[in-house]
Amino acid sequence: PGVIADAIVTTRPDIEVIDRVTPDVQDGGIADSRARMEAILAANLQSGRPDAAAELLADIDAERTAGRISVVGGDFNEPPSQDWTAATAELFDHNGVVIPWQTTQTLLDGGLVDAFRAVHPDPAANPGFTWPSDNPLFPTSSLTWAPEADERDRIDYIFATPDARLAIDGSTVVGPQSTIVRNERVADDSADEIFTPDAVWPSDHKA
C-alpha cells in the first residue's frame, strides 16, 4: 500500500509566557483555570497550527478513501491534548490547568492514532518529553524559552491512520538522556526509554 507522510512545522508561539509561570506573574493575574485555558488556546490558535491540522485531515481523508495509509510526523511545536490532563495538572509546571490543545485534538478527532500514546498511555509515568533537549555544545540559555520554568513537553510526534495493515509495536524517545529544567541540565527521571545515538545530537528537540 502507498503511504503519505506529512508534517506540521511552525515556530513555537509565546504561549510559554502564559502557561508556564504563575498567573500573577505572567498573564495579568488570571486566577481561574478555565479562563487561563481559554487564554492559552486563543493564543495558540493564532499560530495557525490548528488550521493546518484541519487542512491536513482533508488530505488524509482523500488518501484513506483511496485505500492508502497516512503517517504524519514532525515537530509540531505544540503540546498534546492527551498529556495536559487532570493526571498531569499539578506536574511539570502545568499550574493546575487542563488544556485540550487544538492541533493534536484535531488529529485525534479525525481518527488518527498518536503512536507514542498508543504504546505509553500514562502521560505522568511516560511523558515522552522531546523538548527541550540538552546539547552540551550550547549554553542552556540557548536551548530554552522560559528558563525559570519546567517547560518540558512532548511536541514531536508520529500519527497514523488506524489500519489492519499497520501495527505500532513500540515507541521510543530518541535523543540525549538529559534535558533542561529551570535552566539546569538534569537527567530524565521518567519511565521513558530513551535511545541515545553515539553521534553529537544536533537539535534542541528529541524525536
Side-chain angles (χ1 to χ4, degrees):
V3 176
I4 180 173
D6 210 334
I8 301 172
V9 181
T10 61
T11 56
R12 191 164 172 84
D14 290 335
I15 54 173
E16 291 286 351
V17 175
I18 301 175
D19 68 38
R20 289 300 182 185
V21 187
T22 53
D24 58 336
V25 174
Q26 292 287 28
D27 64 11
I30 301 175
D32 179 77
S33 61
R34 181 170 182 82
R36 294 179 65 202
M37 176 196 72
E38 292 174 350
I40 292 167
L41 290 178
N44 190 56
L45 192 61
Q46 296 177 22
S47 72
R49 288 187 299 268
D51 290 339
E55 294 175 3
L56 179 60
L57 276 181
D59 291 339
I60 290 174
D61 286 342
E63 295 298 325
R64 296 175 78 172
T65 299
R68 291 187 283 267
I69 298 170
S70 296
V71 177
V72 180
D75 164 16
F76 286 21
N77 275 327
E78 180 179 319
S81 59
Q82 60 270 47
D83 291 13
W84 279 66
T85 64
T88 61
E90 302 303 329
L91 302 174
F92 318 128
D93 281 6
H94 289 191
N95 292 310
V97 181
V98 175
I99 303 177
W101 295 96
Q102 301 105 314
T103 299
T104 53
Q105 193 59 53
T106 295
L107 297 180
L108 293 170
D109 290 345
L112 272 70
V113 175
D114 177 346
F116 188 83
R117 277 289 158 255
V119 177
H120 307 289
D122 185 348
N126 292 99
F129 296 135
T130 62
W131 192 89
S133 174
D134 192 14
N135 186 325
L137 298 180
F138 293 89
T140 56
S141 58
S142 298
L143 302 172
T144 63
W145 281 67
E148 296 181 0
D150 181 353
E151 54 188 332
R152 293 173 294 174
D153 254 318
R154 184 169 67 97
I155 61 176
D156 302 84
Y157 309 90
I158 296 175
F159 283 87
T161 50
D163 193 284
R165 298 166 293 175
L166 178 67
I168 301 174
D169 297 325
S171 185
T172 302
V173 177
V174 179
Q177 296 289 325
S178 55
T179 184
I180 301 168
V181 178
R182 296 184 176 86
N183 213 29
E184 297 289 337
R185 290 184 164 94
V186 300
D188 183 87
D189 58 358
S190 72
D192 290 327
E193 177 185 357
I194 301 176
F195 173 75
T196 301
D198 291 334
V200 174
W201 191 248
S203 174
D204 60 349
H205 290 241
K206 299 179 187 181

